[in-house]
Amino acid sequence: MTQLSQSVTLEFDNDVALIRIDNPPVNALSHHVRQGLLDGMTQAENSDATAIVVICEGRTFIAGADITEFSGPPKPPSLQEAQDAMENCSKPVIAAVHGTALGGGLEVALCAHYRVGVSESKYGLPEVKLGLLPGAGGTQRLPRVTGAAQALQMMTSGDPISAGDALECGLIDEIVEDLESGAVAFARRAVAEGLPLLRIRDRDDKLTGTNSSLFDDFRASIARKTRGFLAPEYNIRCVEAAVNLEFDEGLKREQELFKDLMKGTQSKAQQYYFFAERAALKIPGLPKETKPIEVNRVGILGAGTMGGGIAMNFANVGIPVTIVEQNEEALKRGLGVVRSNYERTASRGGISSDDVETRMGLINGSTDMGGFGDCDLIIEAVFENMDLKKSIFEQLDEICKPGAVLASNTSALDINEIASATSRPESVIGMHFFSPANVMKMLEVVRGDATSDEAIVTAMGIGRTIGKTPVLCGVCHGFVGNRMLFMRGIEAEKMILEGAAPSRIDQVLFDFGLPMGPFAMSDLAGLDIGWDENTSSGSTVRELLCESGRRGQKNGQGYYIYDPETRAATPDPEVEQIIKAFGERQGVEQREISDQEILERCLYPMINEGAKILAEGIAIRGSDVDVVWINGYGWPMYTGGPMFWADTVGLAEVADRINHYGSTLGGEHWSISPLIEEIVAQGGSLSAYTN
Ligand code: 3H9
């Protein structure tokens, strides 16, 4: 065996050379991998071997370029040199794939003459998720194998396909049982049968006759999902180039577009997010040996929208749930909503009708909290009332077995106070799901003062199991997400009294990239959340709207009027009248407000609050705040989240504007965070700040 570089070896199985890559954790194409691959190809070609297999150690085939190298200057050799050596080799080269062949990894495999993989292997070009396109010839080779339509789908979604699908479309040539012996056998067969040295670059059979309308139809089909993102469009242009240009010309186009994306802020933001999501799972100070408790059954209190949605998450991954409601009627209604959610998914082909029954079978409804006795994790999801929550936790303390994790789905209340109602505050934790809980990926895990490490790893771990993105935070009103949201709400409310229509404010935030603005969001959530008819005193616009019978989307009238059929929102002159009259009564002067001011007054108090949250140690890292906002509220990922975005705007500029609004408008939310001032004075960034 010859060690070619720190991560690549060359060895011989008699007549077959094996280039073996071992670069944990995911065999990314670091410069020493590229060097080893290039040297291995040269030496193997000059050896007595008759064929060459490229294979990887560890859990996966090459999972792509080494993203950590993107921020530095390029290190030789280029990947293309190694790829050329494979593609132009005079002996058959076979890529042997297990795990995931992703990005640059698949692009390497596409330069082999043949590809074999084990049945669990997967194949994809996920660069679009990093704000990029496959920049090592993948955009020109993949369409030549799969045809333009499938390449468009794979490159713009970034999602991998299975070995079965890869075999069917010709992306791989064989599914093997044992990777190494299967690949070596294939290599020997290629030699024995004189199989041609197939170069994908020379093919165009799958591209001729591509209908030119394909591209615009495809653009239209993904427009809503990819609004604001540059990379999907760039990937489409590359596939167009593959169809319309010679291979080498197409490659040039790919390179130009790749460099363009690499220079821009979107790809930097999306790469930052890739690492941010992974960093959020790491909890400093937690002993390594801390083990989660085994969660075999989950109890959920409350079968309303939240409770039902939460229950679905567990049933979806096969964990039985006991869901408890106050009375049979509410229970029946809640379970009915869960069933109709599943049936809707089934009718769209997302799951089978058998899956609907299996999942419903895992959800056991009851009106007796005694059913929580054998649950390992109990999540309370009743409405936001501290006295109610405390009395529930007192009962849970009586009923639940020792060691069970007792979680509250509160979106703002004090976990320490809730925990004080029990004799085991170490078992109490916040698990704040976002609505709709079966869809939204965000999960804020809230640690109280006494919460045990075991409860924390259990909540974080089970969050991952059910497909959420958990972020750990500390106790404060509204935690990370809602605390920042409240600040935006203050300014949005003020601006409508000053003369900016709710629809205008919503539009500015929509144009920024958020899925909706504060008023559309209030209508969606229900204007009467937290509103009490008996104590309502007409002291806010929201109270006035509720008093006039407006409840938001659910009764077709809120800040907007909703079409009963299409649910399309239209601004309502009557609401504008209510706001105007209220503003006059309050003595607020009306004036013209620019879009820039709307944006700053909505977003800068959030940045300021995010910095305060960080300084108080409520969030562990600036990037955790970004993960919460991207997954919890649909903050546009291509800006990296509020903290990264503020760094991009320039923290000094943001600080200036906060101080400006602080002196002209006033209010605690405009008093500048000392952390921002410190970073402006000393350098650094909010997004890289770590407690
Ligand atoms: C590309 O290829 C561009 C080319 O077209 C052009 C080139 C010229 N680089 O996710 P995990 C780290 S762009 C560096 O927890 P899993 C990750 O940060 C690339 N590091 O494991 C983590 O570190 P830590 C296209 C990477 O089993 C550790 O590995 N490829 C890379 O759940 C484990 O990761 C992609 O976008 C990387 N490429 O999932 C694939 N990948 O332990 C990106 C991972 O310190 N990767 N790390 O937190 C993935 O999708 C998943 O990691 C994978 C494994 C599915 C492979």
Side-chain angles (χ1 to χ4, degrees):
M1 185 181 85
T2 313
Q3 190 79 38
L4 298 164
S5 74
Q6 73 184 70
S7 54
V8 185
T9 56
L10 174 65
E11 61 190 91
F12 293 90
D13 177 350
N14 297 307
D15 50 336
V16 178
L18 288 138
I19 299 175
R20 203 183 289 280
I21 299 168
D22 186 10
N23 186 28
V26 298
N27 289 314
L29 286 162
S30 315
H31 70 99
H32 43 85
V33 173
R34 302 194 295 271
Q35 188 68 61
L37 186 54
L38 177 61
D39 292 348
M41 282 308 306
T42 314
Q43 291 188 27
E45 182 151 29
N46 294 330
S47 73
D48 293 336
T50 54
I52 302 161
V53 169
V54 178
I55 192 165
C56 290
E57 287 292 293
R59 62 190 204 228
T60 180
F61 190 73
I62 303 164
D66 184 345
I67 307 167
T68 59
E69 281 186 4
F70 285 172
S71 47
K75 285 189 193 162
S78 70
L79 185 57
Q80 199 183 334
E81 286 175 72
Q83 288 175 295
D84 286 348
M86 289 172 71
E87 199 166 49
N88 300 326
C89 185
S90 58
K91 301 168 180 178
V93 180
I94 286 88
V97 179
H98 73 297
T100 44
L102 297 179
L106 181 57
E107 293 174 286
V108 165
L110 289 171
C111 290
H113 303 122
Y114 295 97
R115 286 151 294 282
V116 301
V118 292
S119 58
E120 304 80 29
S121 56
K122 291 195 169 140
Y123 305 80
L125 292 175
E127 284 85 344
V128 71
K129 294 184 180 172
L130 300 169
L132 292 173
L133 54 86
T139 67
Q140 303 307 295
R141 288 192 180 89
L142 187 73
R144 283 178 162 76
V145 176
T146 62
Q150 187 165 352
L152 283 172
Q153 177 57 35
M154 287 175 70
M155 286 162 54
T156 57
S157 70
D159 295 334
I161 59 169
S162 67
D165 289 343
L167 183 67
E168 199 178 310
C169 71
L171 185 55
I172 62 173
D173 301 285
E174 192 170 286
I175 293 181
V176 293
E177 226 163 80
D178 178 76
L179 184 66
E180 184 166 331
S181 59
V184 168
F186 188 98
R188 292 201 173 111
R189 212 166 58 243
V191 175
E193 294 174 10
L195 296 184
L197 303 181
L198 292 178
R199 298 191 331 159
I200 290 171
R201 60 184 291 145
D202 299 332
R203 284 180 65 175
D204 63 4
D205 51 301
K206 289 266 180 84
L207 295 181
T208 42
T210 302
N211 194 328
S212 58
S213 66
L214 170 74
F215 295 102
D216 285 338
D217 291 349
F218 191 80
R219 281 186 175 96
S221 74
I222 62 165
R224 235 187 94 182
K225 234 171 113 183
T226 58
R227 182 175 73 95
F229 285 88
L230 281 180
E233 169 58 24
Y234 276 49
N235 273 277
I236 296 173
R237 287 184 199 166
C238 285
V239 181
E240 276 177 321
V243 171
N244 298 325
L245 304 176
E246 292 300 318
F247 183 83
D248 285 324
E249 286 302 306
L251 216 51
K252 264 195 219 148
R253 183 93 182 106
E254 173 193 282
Q255 284 310 301
E256 284 161 18
L257 293 172
F258 182 78
K259 281 186 193 140
D260 238 28
L261 286 177
M262 203 62 160
K263 273 195 302 224
T265 51
Q266 288 207 357
S267 69
K268 288 184 183 67
Q270 289 179 247
Q271 286 158 40
Y272 156 81
Y273 178 74
F274 176 85
F275 290 110
E277 200 179 53
R278 285 158 178 81
L281 301 173
K282 296 177 183 139
I283 303 157
L286 223 62
K288 262 208 161 73
E289 58 280 6
T290 314
K291 292 262 168 311
I293 65 162
E294 216 176 287
V295 177
N296 295 316
R297 176 172 281 278
V298 173
I300 293 168
L301 185 64
T305 317
M306 254 351 243
I310 296 170
M312 290 173 75
N313 289 308
F314 292 98
N316 292 349
V317 296
I319 298 176
V321 176
T322 299
I323 188 163
V324 174
E325 249 302 347
Q326 270 178 329
N327 56 57
E328 286 293 346
E329 198 192 323
L331 182 64
K332 205 170 144 208
R333 195 168 50 237
L335 290 176
V337 172
V338 172
R339 175 173 281 283
S340 66
N341 281 343
Y342 277 139
E343 282 171 351
R344 203 169 40 244
T345 311
S347 72
R348 291 184 190 142
I351 54 174
S352 69
S353 48
D354 280 355
D355 290 335
V356 176
E357 296 315 319
T358 310
R359 291 175 197 199
M360 285 309 295
L362 284 166
I363 303 176
N364 168 37
S366 169
T367 52
D368 176 10
M369 276 173 66
F372 289 150
D374 63 347
C375 293
D376 308 291
L377 164 68
I378 298 90
I379 304 171
E380 162 275 311
V382 305
F383 63 88
E384 296 284 66
N385 177 301
M386 181 56 88
D387 291 339
L388 176 64
K389 298 217 186 232
K390 281 169 83 170
S391 100
I392 286 169
F393 273 75
E394 215 177 305
Q395 293 172 64
L396 290 177
D397 196 19
E398 299 280 312
I399 296 163
C400 298
K401 63 185 181 190
V405 172
L406 311 182
S408 171
N409 176 52
T410 178
S411 60
L413 299 179
D414 184 343
I415 296 294
N416 291 323
E417 195 178 338
I418 294 174
S420 73
T422 72
S423 63
R424 40 172 144 172
E426 69 282 1
S427 298
V428 177
I429 197 162
M431 287 178 75
H432 174 214
F433 290 81
F434 286 60
S435 188
N438 52 318
V439 177
M440 296 298 284
K441 281 189 72 190
M442 190 57 222
L443 175 66
E444 277 179 325
V445 174
V446 189
R447 92 203 292 175
D449 293 343
T451 307
S452 68
D453 292 346
E454 195 181 49
I456 292 173
V457 294
T458 303
M460 296 289 288
I462 198 77
R464 289 281 285 161
T465 306
I466 60 175
K468 300 295 175 198
T469 306
V471 172
L472 185 65
C473 61
V475 175
C476 66
H477 187 66
F479 315 127
V480 173
N482 281 343
R483 180 167 155 185
M484 289 166 69
L485 185 72
F486 297 150
M487 302 306 136
R488 181 180 84 176
I490 296 173
E491 283 304 308
E493 283 291 328
K494 278 167 61 182
M495 282 190 283
I496 56 174
L497 300 188
E498 291 168 29
S503 56
R504 168 110 177 280
I505 295 177
D506 281 351
Q507 188 66 45
V508 169
L509 291 174
F510 180 80
D511 291 345
F512 175 75
L514 282 151
M516 65 187 89
F519 300 103
M521 194 166 162
S522 295
D523 275 359
L524 181 65
L527 286 185
D528 55 342
I529 288 188
W531 177 73
D532 184 343
E533 193 170 0
N534 300 314
T535 54
S536 190
S537 58
S539 57
T540 61
V541 170
R542 192 171 175 143
E543 279 191 343
L544 286 169
L545 295 182
C546 285
E547 285 165 20
S548 67
R550 292 171 174 266
R551 299 285 179 270
Q553 274 204 27
K554 63 183 159 196
N555 78 343
Q557 294 176 301
Y559 285 97
Y560 298 86
I561 301 180
Y562 294 88
D563 184 297
E565 301 281 304
T566 63
R567 282 158 127 200
T570 320
D572 185 353
E574 196 183 308
V575 171
E576 279 165 30
Q577 250 343 92
I578 293 175
I579 296 170
K580 192 158 184 275
F582 181 68
E584 278 164 10
R585 285 201 300 280
Q586 299 282 310
V588 180
E589 202 182 309
Q590 301 245 325
R591 64 188 179 86
E592 182 56 34
I593 301 180
S594 71
D595 286 356
Q596 180 63 18
E597 180 174 340
I598 290 173
L599 196 67
E600 290 180 356
R601 286 177 64 184
C602 285
L603 302 190
Y604 287 179
M606 291 174 52
I607 309 296
N608 201 27
E609 201 62 23
K612 291 177 187 175
I613 285 170
L614 275 173
E616 288 167 29
I618 298 291
I620 297 173
R621 328 166 170 81
S623 60
D624 286 4
V625 174
D626 287 337
V627 174
V628 169
W629 266 84
I630 286 174
N631 291 289
Y633 306 85
W635 182 285
M637 187 193 281
Y638 53 80
T639 70
M643 303 288 101
F644 189 88
W645 177 71
D647 291 332
T648 315
V649 171
L651 218 45
E653 156 79 12
V654 174
D656 258 9
R657 300 305 292 162
I658 291 174
N659 284 327
H660 163 77
Y661 291 119
S663 59
T664 52
L665 303 170
E668 183 50 33
H669 60 294
W670 284 119
S671 80
I672 191 152
S673 153
L675 178 62
I676 294 187
E677 289 181 315
E678 191 186 308
I679 294 176
V680 170
Q682 295 173 9
S685 68
L686 267 182
S687 56
Y689 183 84
T690 302
N691 277 301

